[in-house]
C-alpha cells in the first residue's frame, strides 16, 4: 500500500482542502484576487473562492477550496510513540501497592499567572475527563492539587514538604510564550532546590506544548491535547515504579 | 420587565428557598459588617480623591494606607488618622508623599480635633459620591437620549488585546457589528495584585488591566459609538480579586455600566481568603447600588469545574445567596445580573431539554433580574464546526427562555482568543437566531407534567436541600468542604487574609457610613420608584 498521502475530498488523490482566513483589505475584486493568490502560494491548485464577506471596515473574510499540491510520506512522519504500557486504574493501583509498597504522591498546580485550572483539574479531580476518573480516584495515589496561580517557589516548597514523587503542571495561557517561560523557570527551580536523585518527576501539560520539547524545557515529559488521566497514571507507574526496579542499585 | 411564570413551581418551596438563603447568608453578612480590609480603606481614599502612583507604579492610596496600617493598624478605620494628619499638609497626594517617606506620625485625635478631621473626611468622600451620582445621572440622560438596544437579550461581547488603544477600535467595531455590551477582559492575574495599576496600559496577559484611566478612555470612545449606532453601548469590567472595592469605586466614578461581582468567585477560583472576599464584596456592591451599575454574578464558573447536571442546584443556591447579599447591600432586582450557563455535556440524551429547564428555572425564580446567559466552554473542543452548532443551540435556549444578557459564544473557545472573523461568525449566529425566532418565547409553554417542568422542580428541590445543609453547617464550612465548584477553601486560608482586620468598637469610615445609610434606605427607595 502506498505510504504517500494527499488530502481526501470525495475522491482518492483529489487533494482537496478547505481553508478560511481574513485579509486586512476592504471587500472588492482586488481583495478576492489577493485571496486566490494567497491560496496559490499556499500550494492550492485551482483554488475556488466560495465565500467572501466584508467584516467591519477594511477587512474581508474568505473561504477557499482547492487541491493541495503537496504530498506526505507517512514513513517520514516523526511522532512520540507511547513508550510505556497503558494501564487501567486497577493495574496502576496494583503496581504501586505491590512494587512500591507505599502511596505515590503527586503534586499538581497551574503556575505563574495562569488561572486556567481546567487542564490540571481534568487530570487530577475525581471528576476526570472524557469518561475517565481523575488521579484523585486512584487509591494508591496521594494527590495534592494546589490550584491556580501558584508561585514557582511555593510549588517547590510544597513538593519538598510532601516528598512528591511527581509534579504535574498545567499551562493553558500561552500569550507571549508564558507557558514556555514558566516551565523553564519551574524546571530550573527544582534543579536548584534538589539534587538529581531527589527531584520529583516533572510533567507538564497543555494544548500548546510541543511534545518533543521536554529536554529543551528541562522536564521529564510533556503531555498535549487529548491526554487523559490514565495516560498520566500509566506514565507515572512506568517511570517511577516499573523502570526504577530495572535500574541497578546505586 | 417581569418575566411570565411558565413552570408550576411550588410557591411555598420558593419561599422556603429564599428564607433558607437569608439564614445561610446572615453569619457572612455579620462577618462583613464587623470587619474591614486594606482594600476597603484604600477605596475610601480613592473616593476622597487620592490618585496617582509612585515612580515604581505603586498607587499613592497603597503607600498612604500602608503607612497608616503600619503605625496604628486599620481596625479603627484609616480615615480619622489620615484626615487629622491632613491638617498639616496641602492635599492628600502630598500627605501620601510625606507618609511614604516616613515623615508623618499618625494618631487618633480627640475632641474638637477629631470633629474637624471627621468633617474633612466626610466632605472629601462626599466629592467621590457626587462624582458617582453625576455619572449615574449622565448614564440615565444618555440612555434617554440615545436609547436602549431594541431587543432582549442584550448582546454581550468581549474584547481583550492587552492594549487599551487596540481594544478601543475593536470595541467600537464590535458595537457597530451588533454588540450592546462590551466587556474588557482583565489581564490574567490582576485579581491577585493587591493594588490597582495606574494610567493607560498597553501590555497585558490575555487581557487588559483595569485602571481608572483605561475605564475613562473606553467609556468616552463608546459614548461616541453609542451616538453613531443609536444605542447606548454599555461597558463592563471586573470588580473582583483583592482590589474589588477600589475597582468598584473607580467604575462608579468613570461610569461603567456593568461589573462582574460574584460573592464567591474569588474564594473558589482565585483562592482569595473567604472573609476578605465577603467584606470587600459587600462594600463593592454598596458602591454599585449607588452607581446604578448592574452586577454580573459568576455562577457559570461552577459548571466549568463541576458537572452541569449533577451540580445544577448549586447554581440555584449560589443565585439565591447572591440575591440575598445583593439586596442586603441595597441592590434592587433590576441591577442583579445573576449568571447561569449552557454547560451540559452535549453527548447526554435530552441535554437541550435540561438546559431549557435550568434556564427557565432561573428566569422564573428571578423574574425582574437581568439574567446573564453564558455560552458553552467546558464542552467546546477544537472542532469549531460542532462548536458553532452548540453556540446556535445556546442562543436558541437564551431566546426561548427570555434571558436578558447574552454573552456571545465563540466557536474557537477552546482554541484561540477570538479572531475578528470568529466574532463576526458568532454574531451572525446570534443574529440568525434572534431574527428567526425572536418571538418564540410567546409560543413556548412547557406542559406542567412534562420533562422540563419536572426537571426544574427537581433542581429547586435539591437546591432547598442543599440550602438546609448550609444553614446547619454554616456557609463558610460549606465553602471549605468544596460544595461549590468542587474547590475546597478554608476560612483561614487563601490570599489577602493579612489585609483583614476585625473592626474596633470605634471603627469609623465615612464612605462605609454613607453606603450603610444608602443600603438601609434602599427598600423604601425601590418602593417609591414603583
Amino acid at each position: 500500500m502506498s505510504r504517500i498521502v494527499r488530502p481526501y475530498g470525495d475522491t482518492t488523490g483529489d487533494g482537496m482542502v478547505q481553508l478560511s482566513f481574513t485579509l486586512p483589505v476592504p471587500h472588492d475584486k482586488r481583495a478576492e484576487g489577493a485571496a486566490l493568490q494567497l491560496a496559490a502560494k499556499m500550494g492550492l491548485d485551482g483554488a475556488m473562492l466560495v465565500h467572501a464577506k466584508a467584516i467591519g471596515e477594511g477587512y474581508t473574510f474568505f473561504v477557499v477550496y482547492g487541491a493541495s499540491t503537496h504530498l506526505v510520506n507517512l514513513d517520514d512522519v516523526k511522532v512520540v510513540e507511547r513508550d510505556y504500557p497503558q494501564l487501567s486504574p486497577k493495574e496502576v493501583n496494583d503496581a504501586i501497592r505491590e512494587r512500591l509498597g507505599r502511596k505515590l504522591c503527586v503534586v499538581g498546580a497551574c503556575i505563574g499567572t495562569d488561572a486556567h485550572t481546567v487542564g490540571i483539574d481534568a487530570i487530577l479531580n475525581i471528576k476526570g475527563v472524557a469518561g475517565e476518573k481523575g488521579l484523585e480516584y486512584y487509591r494508591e495515589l496521594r494527590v495534592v492539587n494546589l490550584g491556580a496561580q501558584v508561585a514557582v517557589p511555593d510549588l517547590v516548597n510544597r513538593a519538598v514538604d510532601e516528598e512528591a514523587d511527581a509534579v504535574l503542571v498545567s499551562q493553558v495561557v500561552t500569550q507571549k510564550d508564558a507557558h514556555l517561560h514558566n516551565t523553564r523557570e519551574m524546571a530550573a527551580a527544582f534543579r536548584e532546590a534538589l539534587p538529581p536523585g531527589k527531584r520529583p518527576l516533572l510533567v507538564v501539560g497543555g494544548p500548546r506544548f510541543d511534545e518533543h520539547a521536554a529536554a529543551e524545557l528541562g522536564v521529564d515529559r510533556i503531555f498535549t491535547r487529548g491526554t487523559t488521566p490514565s495516560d498520566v497514571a500509566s506514565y507515572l507507574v512506568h517511570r517511577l515504579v516499573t523502570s526504577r526496579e530495572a535500574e541497578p542499585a546505586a | 420587565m417581569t418575566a411570565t411564570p411558565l413552570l408550576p413551581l411550588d410557591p411555598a418551596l420558593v419561599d422556603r428557598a429564599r428564607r433558607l438563603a437569608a439564614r445561610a447568608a446572615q453569619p457572612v453578612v455579620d462577618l462583613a459588617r464587623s470587619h474591614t480590609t486594606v482594600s476597603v480603606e484604600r477605596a475610601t481614599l480613592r473616593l476622597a480623591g487620592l490618585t496617582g502612583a509612585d515612580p515604581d507604579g505603586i498607587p499613592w492610596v497603597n503607600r498612604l494606607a500602608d503607612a497608616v496600617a503600619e503605625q496604628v493598624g486599620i481596625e479603627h478605620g484609616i480615615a480619622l488618622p489620615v484626615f487629622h494628619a491632613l491638617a498639616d499638609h496641602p492635599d492628600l497626594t502630598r500627605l501620601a508623599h510625606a507618609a511614604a517617606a516616613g515623615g508623618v506620625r499618625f494618631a487618633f485625635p480627640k475632641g474638637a480635633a477629631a470633629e474637624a478631621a471627621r468633617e474633612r473626611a466626610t466632605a472629601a468622600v462626599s466629592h467621590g459620591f457626587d462624582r458617582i451620582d453625576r455619572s449615574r445621572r449622565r448614564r440615565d440622560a444618555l440612555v434617554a437620549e440615545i436609547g436602549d438596544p431594541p431587543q432582549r437579550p442584550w448582546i454581550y461581547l468581549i474584547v481583550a488585546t492587552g492594549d487599551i488603544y487596540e481594544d478601543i477600535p475593536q470595541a467600537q467595531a464590535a458595537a457597530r457589528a451588533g454588540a450592546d455590551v462590551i466587556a474588557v477582559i482583565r489581564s490574567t492575574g490582576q485579581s491577585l495584585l493587591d493594588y490597582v495599576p495606574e494610567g493607560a496600559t498597553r501590555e497585558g496577559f490575555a487581557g487588559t488591566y483595569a485602571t481608572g484611566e483605561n475605564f475613562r478612555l473606553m467609556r468616552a470612545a463608546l459614548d461616541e459609538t453609542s451616538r453613531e449606532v443609536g444605542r447606548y453601548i454599555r461597558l463592563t469590567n471586573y470588580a473582583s480579586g483583592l482590589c474589588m472595592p477600589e475597582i468598584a469605586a473607580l467604575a462608579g466614578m468613570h461610569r461603567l455600566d456593568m461589573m462582574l461581582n460574584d460573592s464567591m468567585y474569588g474564594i473558589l477560583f482565585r483562592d482569595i481568603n473567604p472573609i476578605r472576599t465577603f467584606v470587600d464584596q459587600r462594600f463593592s456592591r454598596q458602591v454599585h447600588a449607588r452607581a446604578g451599575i448592574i452586577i454580573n454574578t459568576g455562577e457559570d464558573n461552577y459548571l466549568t469545574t463541576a458537572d452541569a447536571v449533577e451540580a445544577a442546584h448549586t447554581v440555584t443556591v449560589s443565585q439565591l445567596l447572591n440575591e440575598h447579599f445583593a439586596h442586603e447591600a441595597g441592590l434592587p432586582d433590576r441591577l442583579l445580573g445573576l449568571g447561569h450557563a449552557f454547560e451540559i455535556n452535549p453527548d447526554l440524551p435530552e441535554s437541550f431539554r435540561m438546559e431549557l429547564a435550568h434556564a427557565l428555572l432561573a428566569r422564573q425564580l428571578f423574574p425582574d433580574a437581568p439574567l446573564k446567559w453564558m455560552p458553552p466552554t467546558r464542552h467546546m473542543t477544537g472542532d469549531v464546526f460542532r462548536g458553532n452548532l452548540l453556540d446556535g443551540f445556546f442562543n436558541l435556549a437564551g431566546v426561548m427562555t427570555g434571558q436578558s444578557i447574552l454573552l456571545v459564544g465563540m466557536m474557537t473557545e477552546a482554541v484561540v482568543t477570538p479572531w475578528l472573523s470568529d466574532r463576526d461568525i458568532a454574531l451572525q449566529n446570534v443574529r440568525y437566531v434572534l431574527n428567526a425566532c425572536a418571538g418564540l418565547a410567546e409560543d413556548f409553554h412547557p406542559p406542567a407534567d412534562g420533562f422540563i417542568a419536572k426537571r426544574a422542580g427537581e433542581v429547586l428541590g435539591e437546591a432547598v436541600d442543599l440550602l438546609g445543609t448550609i444553614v446547619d453547617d454554616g456557609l463558610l464550612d460549606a465553602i471549605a468542604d468544596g460544595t461549590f465548584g468542587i474547590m475546597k477553601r478554608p476560612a483561614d486560608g487563601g490570599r489577602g487574609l493579612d489585609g483583614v482586620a476585625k473592626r474596633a468598637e470605634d471603627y469609623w469610615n465615612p464612605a462605609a457610613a454613607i453606603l450603610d445609610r444608602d443600603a438601609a434606605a434602599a427598600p423604601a427607595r425601590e418602593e417609591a420608584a414603583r
Side-chain angles (χ1 to χ4, degrees):
Chain A
M1 202 178 94
S2 169
R3 301 286 287 168
I4 309 284
V5 293
R6 303 182 74 186
Y8 182 101
D10 65 353
T11 309
T12 300
D14 63 15
M16 290 303 287
V17 298
Q18 57 174 178
L19 80 147
S20 63
F21 55 88
T22 302
L23 291 178
V25 290
H27 180 205
D28 56 16
K29 281 281 198 193
R30 184 178 297 273
E32 297 194 356
L36 285 170
Q37 197 180 108
L38 179 69
K41 287 181 174 172
M42 291 171 78
L44 296 194
D45 218 8
M48 296 179 286
L49 190 79
V50 300
H51 177 66
K53 176 176 178 281
I55 307 180
E57 284 167 37
Y59 297 89
T60 310
F61 176 68
F62 301 96
V63 179
V64 174
Y65 280 65
S68 169
T69 54
H70 301 298
L71 304 172
V72 173
N73 184 343
L74 295 178
D75 294 328
D76 294 341
V77 177
K78 289 191 174 49
V79 290
V80 176
E81 295 282 5
R82 182 191 296 284
D83 49 2
Y84 52 88
Q86 183 81 10
L87 305 176
S88 70
K90 183 175 182 313
E91 290 167 329
V92 166
N93 287 330
D94 288 351
I96 297 174
R97 193 170 47 245
E98 288 161 19
R99 299 160 78 170
L100 192 65
R102 62 173 173 82
K103 289 198 177 188
L104 194 144
C105 175
V106 177
V107 172
C110 286
I111 57 174
T113 55
D114 199 339
H116 296 78
T117 57
V118 41
I120 196 77
D121 289 342
I123 299 299
L124 295 184
N125 276 357
I126 211 163
K127 193 75 218 165
V129 65
E132 281 189 18
K133 294 273 199 283
L135 298 189
E136 288 179 344
Y137 172 76
Y138 291 69
R139 266 193 324 280
E140 299 302 325
L141 292 178
R142 186 164 65 81
V143 173
V144 181
N145 185 353
L146 301 180
Q149 297 183 333
V150 176
V152 166
D154 294 344
L155 174 63
V156 174
N157 289 338
R158 192 64 185 270
V160 171
D161 292 350
E162 302 284 352
E163 297 181 1
D165 296 292
V167 169
L168 265 53
V169 159
S170 138
Q171 291 279 275
V172 173
V173 171
T174 56
Q175 250 81 1
K176 299 176 208 269
D177 285 339
H179 61 310
L180 303 180
H181 298 308
N182 288 342
T183 301
R184 286 197 187 94
E185 185 194 344
M186 174 197 65
F190 274 102
R191 268 200 305 278
E192 206 163 283
L194 294 165
K198 299 280 181 193
R199 272 203 297 275
L201 202 63
L202 300 181
V203 178
V204 297
R208 287 283 168 275
F209 281 107
D210 170 4
E211 57 187 350
H212 302 278
E216 187 206 326
L217 295 177
V219 297
D220 295 290
R221 185 82 180 196
I222 291 172
F223 284 103
T224 57
R225 183 170 292 286
T227 301
T228 64
S230 71
D231 293 333
V232 178
S234 302
Y235 170 73
L236 295 180
V237 166
H238 170 72
R239 282 296 304 269
L240 294 167
V241 182
T242 329
S243 59
R244 286 269 162 97
E245 285 180 344
E247 285 171 16
Chain B
M1 204 171 61
T2 305
T4 322
L6 292 175
L7 298 168
L9 298 179
D10 174 5
L13 197 61
V14 174
D15 192 47
R16 184 167 148 70
R18 282 213 159 77
R19 274 185 287 116
L20 285 169
R23 273 175 59 198
Q26 193 53 47
V28 168
V29 173
D30 295 341
L31 205 64
R33 284 169 175 275
S34 58
H35 289 74
T36 187
T37 70
V38 284
S39 40
V40 164
E41 301 301 322
R42 293 196 301 254
T44 307
L45 295 179
R46 286 189 183 275
L47 286 166
L50 182 54
T51 58
D54 73 10
D56 294 330
I58 303 302
W60 290 119
V61 292
N62 286 65
R63 299 301 306 266
L64 181 54
D66 288 350
V68 180
E70 203 169 285
Q71 291 184 31
V72 296
I74 63 168
E75 59 268 28
H76 308 279
I78 70 168
L80 196 58
V82 163
F83 282 86
H84 178 57
L86 189 61
D88 304 324
H89 296 266
D91 55 41
L92 279 174
T93 309
R94 270 169 287 184
L95 171 65
H97 295 180
V104 184
R105 293 250 53 86
F106 290 101
F108 292 96
K110 301 270 179 251
E115 213 36 60
R118 280 175 203 270
E119 268 172 37
R120 277 197 293 278
T122 304
V125 299
S126 295
H127 278 299
F129 286 116
D130 288 345
R131 265 185 86 185
I132 288 176
D133 295 345
R134 275 201 305 279
S135 294
R136 180 181 186 147
R137 285 196 298 272
R138 178 85 183 127
R139 179 193 304 115
D140 291 345
L142 284 169
V143 170
E145 179 197 331
I146 301 171
D148 266 327
Q151 88 295 331
R152 278 285 186 165
W154 291 347
I155 298 168
Y156 177 117
L157 257 183
I158 288 168
V159 298
T161 70
D163 178 350
I164 188 65
Y165 294 106
E166 188 83 36
D167 288 342
I168 286 174
Q170 287 215 9
Q172 291 178 314
R176 288 183 197 113
D180 302 311
V181 181
I182 298 293
V184 181
I185 290 253
R186 292 201 305 187
S187 178
T188 295
Q190 183 172 2
S191 47
L192 298 181
L193 292 181
D194 210 346
Y195 65 93
V196 182
E198 271 286 317
T201 63
R202 308 206 62 166
E203 223 172 68
F205 294 94
T208 307
Y209 285 103
T211 74
E213 180 61 7
N214 286 349
F215 286 180
R216 191 189 66 77
L217 288 167
M218 183 61 92
R219 187 56 268 173
L222 290 181
D223 280 351
E224 269 177 40
T225 311
S226 297
R227 289 186 193 285
E228 182 190 319
V229 299
R231 292 169 279 136
Y232 180 72
I233 306 298
R234 286 175 170 80
L235 175 60
T236 304
N237 212 288
Y238 297 69
S240 60
L242 289 169
C243 293
M244 191 191 301
E246 296 176 77
I247 290 177
L250 290 168
M253 294 190 282
H254 291 289
R255 190 168 29 92
L256 267 74
D257 306 284
M258 293 191 191
M259 293 298 278
L260 276 82
N261 190 219
D262 189 71
S263 62
M264 293 189 283
Y265 177 81
I267 304 170
L268 299 173
F269 293 88
R270 305 287 176 177
D271 196 14
I272 294 175
N273 174 260
I275 302 174
R276 170 84 177 245
T277 299
F278 284 121
V279 176
D280 286 353
Q281 181 258 134
R282 180 166 186 268
F283 186 96
S284 59
R285 286 189 177 192
Q286 290 181 321
V287 172
H288 291 142
R290 176 97 180 198
I293 289 174
I294 297 173
I295 65 162
N296 291 185
T297 60
E299 282 79 2
D300 51 291
N301 291 290
Y302 308 151
L303 302 183
T304 62
T305 52
D307 181 87
V309 177
E310 284 167 31
H313 65 293
T314 66
V315 168
T316 308
V317 166
S318 172
Q319 287 168 338
L320 287 161
L321 290 169
N322 261 314
E323 177 192 49
H324 180 81
F325 288 131
H327 283 169
E328 193 278 329
L331 280 162
D333 286 340
R334 70 192 149 73
L335 296 182
L336 205 45
L338 297 170
H340 56 149
F342 189 93
E343 290 281 21
I344 297 175
N345 183 348
D347 293 336
L348 284 182
E350 310 294 354
S351 67
F352 187 66
R353 288 169 94 188
M354 280 192 280
E355 294 286 9
L356 290 176
H358 299 175
L360 216 48
L361 173 63
R363 183 66 287 172
Q364 189 160 330
L365 284 176
F366 310 101
D368 296 305
L371 295 184
K372 185 177 179 196
W373 183 228
M374 308 282 286
T377 59
R378 184 178 162 95
H379 297 285
M380 295 296 272
T381 64
D383 182 349
V384 295
F385 303 102
R386 182 172 182 263
N388 199 29
L389 177 63
L390 208 55
D391 280 333
F393 271 63
F394 158 77
N395 293 332
L396 179 60
V399 168
M400 285 177 78
T401 59
Q403 303 301 314
S404 315
I405 302 164
L406 183 140
L407 195 156
V408 177
M410 296 288 152
M411 65 182 190
T412 50
E413 168 71 35
V415 189
V416 287
T417 45
W419 290 357
L420 188 70
S421 54
D422 298 336
R423 223 175 266 145
D424 193 70
I425 290 166
L427 280 170
Q428 173 175 285
N429 188 330
V430 173
R431 271 196 304 271
Y432 166 66
V433 173
L434 279 176
N435 187 43
C437 55
L440 184 59
E442 283 173 27
D443 302 315
F444 177 48
H445 299 278
D449 58 351
F451 179 94
I452 289 175
K454 277 188 196 149
R455 174 66 189 157
E458 205 174 280
V459 174
L460 178 61
E462 287 171 13
V464 168
D465 291 345
L466 176 58
L467 279 164
T469 316
I470 294 174
V471 168
D472 293 340
D473 298 351
L475 181 53
L476 286 173
D477 286 341
I479 292 169
D481 293 343
T483 301
F484 302 97
I486 322 187
M487 258 78 57
K488 296 176 179 162
R489 301 300 190 204
D492 59 356
R495 298 174 165 94
L497 177 62
D498 52 357
V500 180
K502 189 158 174 45
R503 290 185 184 184
E505 284 273 308
D506 62 351
Y507 176 78
W508 186 72
N509 179 324
I514 290 170
L515 290 170
D516 276 341
R517 273 203 301 279
D518 280 1
R525 205 168 51 224
E526 281 310 304
E527 207 53 45
R530 267 179 203 163

